[in-house]
Amino acid sequence: MHCVHWDFDVSNSTGGWRTGGCVLRTRDGQTAVCECSHLTNFAILFSENTTTPLHLATTRRVLLGISMFCVLIAIVLQVMGLKSLDHGDQQFKHRQERLIILLLLSVNLLVVYATFIGVTLTESGTTLCYVLLVPAHYASLALFMSMAAEGATIYYTVIHVFSKEVKHFLLKALLTIQGIPAVIVLLCAAIAQESYYVKVSSANVSVSCWFNR
């Protein structure tokens, strides 16, 4: 519990909670008494520290590590599947397209997991935070695009069984999966770099590295 006041001058004049000049005098099960040496907007923060408990953070990283290991196995199996395809098979092109899209989906998911572990170990506002969040943003968008492309392949496989195949489907899928996220991330990194990390708005408070908005 912390006695704080609102400082309009911090964080580029956007404002933030500060503890200067305010102290917690008494506290019991139901009430708390704060004393401040100036007049402004006051509040009591029940939890100023946003740090994740150690056991929860450790559990999260262990589970992410297990997920990454499973995704790595999936990537190896997909690569083996691509190498085992029979070039003389009539369904070779269609099966190759599906395996490549699944492989991209798995790779993007692996990058999301890896960067998420990295940002949980990094404080906001640092260069490392920015470096990790850019690929995290890109991989997250590419992951959703991979799901959309995989949905399109299932749709054409199940619904349009006897229809003509889509021309240059794999090229269009690759441009969608990797191209659209690249454009979005480049624009964000160029014109809104502050969106890639949460700025520290109050004194003595460590904010985790994550997207600002």
Side-chain angles (χ1 to χ4, degrees):
M1 182 179 294
H2 299 272
C3 298
V4 295
H5 68 94
W6 187 260
D7 189 342
F8 291 93
D9 296 326
V10 300
S11 300
N12 296 324
S13 299
T14 59
W17 293 111
R18 303 295 296 270
T19 57
C22 293
V23 294
L24 180 64
R25 286 302 182 191
T26 60
R27 174 187 177 184
D28 56 31
Q30 295 181 341
T31 61
V33 177
C34 293
E35 182 178 300
C36 295
S37 60
H38 48 79
L39 296 176
T40 182
N41 299 310
F42 305 105
I44 297 178
L45 299 184
F46 286 92
S47 179
E48 189 180 40
N49 188 2
T50 58
T51 303
T52 304
L54 180 60
H55 68 283
L56 292 180
T58 303
T59 302
R60 177 176 59 194
R61 289 163 192 153
V62 170
L63 293 176
L64 282 172
I66 295 173
S67 299
M68 290 176 64
F69 177 73
C70 294
V71 173
L72 279 173
I73 294 176
I75 291 174
V76 172
L77 293 176
Q78 289 156 7
V79 172
M80 292 173 60
L82 281 171
K83 292 182 177 180
S84 65
L85 289 177
D86 183 5
H87 290 261
D89 189 352
Q90 293 182 350
Q91 296 294 321
F92 168 76
K93 184 178 180 181
H94 177 68
R95 291 174 179 173
Q96 183 188 48
E97 291 174 347
R98 287 205 62 183
L99 280 174
I100 290 176
I101 292 173
L102 281 173
L103 181 60
L104 289 175
L105 191 154
S106 300
V107 170
N108 287 319
L109 182 59
L110 183 65
V111 174
V112 169
Y113 284 152
T115 52
F116 184 76
I117 291 177
V119 298
T120 59
L121 299 172
T122 308
E123 288 191 3
S124 179
T126 62
T127 303
L128 181 59
C129 173
Y130 180 76
V131 170
L132 287 172
L133 285 180
V134 170
H137 187 198
Y138 174 81
S140 298
L141 293 175
L143 179 61
F144 285 113
M145 294 299 176
S146 301
M147 294 178 184
E150 176 62 17
T153 60
I154 296 174
Y155 174 78
Y156 284 112
T157 300
V158 176
I159 305 300
H160 295 279
V161 180
F162 302 105
S163 302
K164 294 182 179 180
E165 65 178 23
V166 180
K167 292 183 178 181
H168 309 296
F169 177 79
L170 183 59
L171 177 61
K172 294 176 182 177
L174 291 176
L175 289 175
T176 301
I177 295 171
Q178 306 299 141
I180 294 177
V183 173
I184 296 174
V185 171
L186 285 174
L187 288 174
C188 291
I191 64 179
Q193 293 185 9
E194 68 278 2
S195 296
Y196 281 110
Y197 50 84
V198 179
K199 293 182 179 179
V200 179
S201 59
S202 57
N204 301 321
V205 179
S206 177
V207 181
S208 299
C209 173
W210 196 242
F211 300 101
N212 191 19
R213 57 180 178 270

